[in-house]
Amino acid sequence: MSEKKISSMKNIIITAMILSFITCFSATSAAEDIIYEAQIVKINDFIAKNEINQAEEIVKKLLEDNHTDNNVIFYRALIHHKKGEYDKALVEYFKALHSAKDDPLLNYNIGLLFYQMNNHNKALEFYEKVITLQPNFSEAYFNAARIYQEQDNNKKAINYYKKYLSEFPEDVEALNNLAVVYKSDGNFDKAFEVFKKILFIDPNYIPSHYNIALMHLINGNDKAFNNELKLLSKISPDHAKILIKQKENFKPGK
């Protein structure tokens, strides 16, 4: 009965980095600067609309004029990242990192990329760096918390979920993760408290009903278990079927 519900990552690839790097290009006229900034804005807009090919064309042209422009190198990395070309993205991100090692947004994207490449320890290294550089970077707390949760580092996971929730107190996904960590840690009282808070926000939130039912099963509270089972039968019959299987296979004390 060690069922563990872990949510999706906060898969936010940061795009709003216009002129955030120290660029390496020669002096230009004010008019040229305006044109350049307009091109960067276009790249952002195209990426935001998932029009990756259009963004890539602008990036190529800008790099023809200045192949060391860190802003544009970042966008080339971002485009590879968006296209799922992770190896190429990693190379370009590290090129950008060479001149902007303390940029929290860049470090966050690298952390996300490492996670998507299944290198969770390396991802955690970069999320922790982001938190050091920018202590209010909420997505980094959430994603780091999830990795700690996967590693059964409950103390760290709880701490980071709480930090994230201090900014987004009604994020039911994060609340559910926090409650599951409490449950895994054997702190059923805190887990129930958080699950109930979730259901106050969203009465039909399926993972919370499911986990509450499991806790009632472990505690031998058949009446409460059956009540949750009835609710799940209405809002998610598939989860109700899984729960019935869980009860059939359940052995008290394990």
Side-chain angles (χ1 to χ4, degrees):
M1 294 303 296
S2 60
E3 178 272 343
K4 184 184 248 186
K5 167 68 173 68
I6 299 178
S7 72
S8 62
M9 293 287 287
K10 295 294 181 189
N11 289 305
I12 303 169
I13 302 175
I14 300 296
T15 60
M17 299 187 68
I18 303 174
L19 302 178
S20 62
F21 295 127
I22 300 172
T23 53
C24 304
F25 52 87
S26 59
T28 59
S29 67
E32 288 173 327
D33 287 346
I34 291 171
I35 293 171
Y36 173 84
E37 291 181 31
Q39 293 294 87
I40 297 295
V41 170
K42 281 185 179 180
I43 294 171
N44 263 308
D45 289 343
F46 280 135
I47 291 175
K49 292 185 288 188
N50 208 33
E51 296 174 356
I52 304 301
N53 291 335
Q54 292 92 323
E56 191 169 20
E57 285 301 312
I58 299 175
V59 166
K60 286 179 180 178
K61 290 177 181 177
L62 288 174
L63 286 174
E64 287 174 3
D65 295 333
N66 181 2
H67 68 278
T68 62
D69 185 334
N70 231 33
N71 281 312
V72 187
I73 290 171
F74 165 79
Y75 282 111
R76 183 163 61 184
L78 182 63
I79 288 167
H80 287 310
H81 196 164
K82 289 277 191 179
K83 292 168 72 174
E85 298 170 350
Y86 292 163
D87 290 338
K88 292 179 180 179
L90 192 61
V91 170
E92 299 300 329
Y93 275 140
F94 271 93
K95 285 181 184 177
L97 191 68
H98 182 72
S99 299
K101 63 178 181 176
D102 291 333
D103 191 295
L105 305 180
L106 174 58
N107 280 280
Y108 173 82
N109 275 11
I110 294 173
L112 179 59
L113 180 61
F114 272 123
Y115 190 90
Q116 292 167 327
M117 296 175 76
N118 293 316
N119 191 337
H120 295 186
N121 288 332
K122 200 67 177 176
L124 188 57
E125 176 185 323
F126 276 88
Y127 290 138
E128 288 287 8
K129 183 179 178 182
V130 172
I131 289 166
T132 299
L133 292 169
Q134 187 174 320
N136 63 345
F137 201 120
S138 56
E139 288 84 2
Y141 281 112
F142 181 97
N143 288 351
R146 183 192 171 181
I147 296 173
Y148 283 124
Q149 182 176 1
E150 292 171 345
Q151 296 176 345
D152 294 320
N153 188 337
N154 293 337
K155 183 177 179 179
K156 199 78 172 183
I158 289 169
N159 182 37
Y160 276 20
Y161 278 131
K162 283 182 174 181
K163 286 183 180 295
Y164 173 82
L165 286 162
S166 67
E167 185 171 355
F168 301 103
E170 295 193 353
D171 185 325
V172 292
E173 182 181 26
L175 284 166
N176 189 74
N177 283 7
L178 175 61
V180 169
V181 178
Y182 278 132
K183 172 174 162 284
S184 298
D185 209 33
N187 192 338
F188 277 27
D189 288 341
K190 288 296 293 185
F192 269 120
E193 179 184 324
V194 180
F195 281 132
K196 292 297 184 183
K197 180 178 180 179
I198 294 167
L199 295 178
F200 180 79
I201 297 168
D202 181 358
N204 292 325
Y205 193 72
I206 294 168
S208 292
H209 282 295
Y210 183 84
N211 279 294
I212 288 173
L214 282 179
M215 291 167 68
H216 286 315
L217 179 61
I218 293 170
N219 288 336
N221 192 334
D222 289 339
K223 182 177 180 181
F225 173 86
N226 289 329
N227 287 338
E228 292 295 334
L229 180 60
K230 289 178 183 177
L231 285 169
L232 274 174
S233 297
K234 295 177 181 178
I235 60 179
S236 180
D238 288 341
H239 281 84
K241 291 176 183 177
I242 296 171
L243 199 56
I244 291 169
K245 286 289 184 183
Q246 291 271 23
K247 185 174 184 181
E248 290 173 354
N249 297 326
F250 177 66
K251 294 180 181 180
K254 293 192 175 182

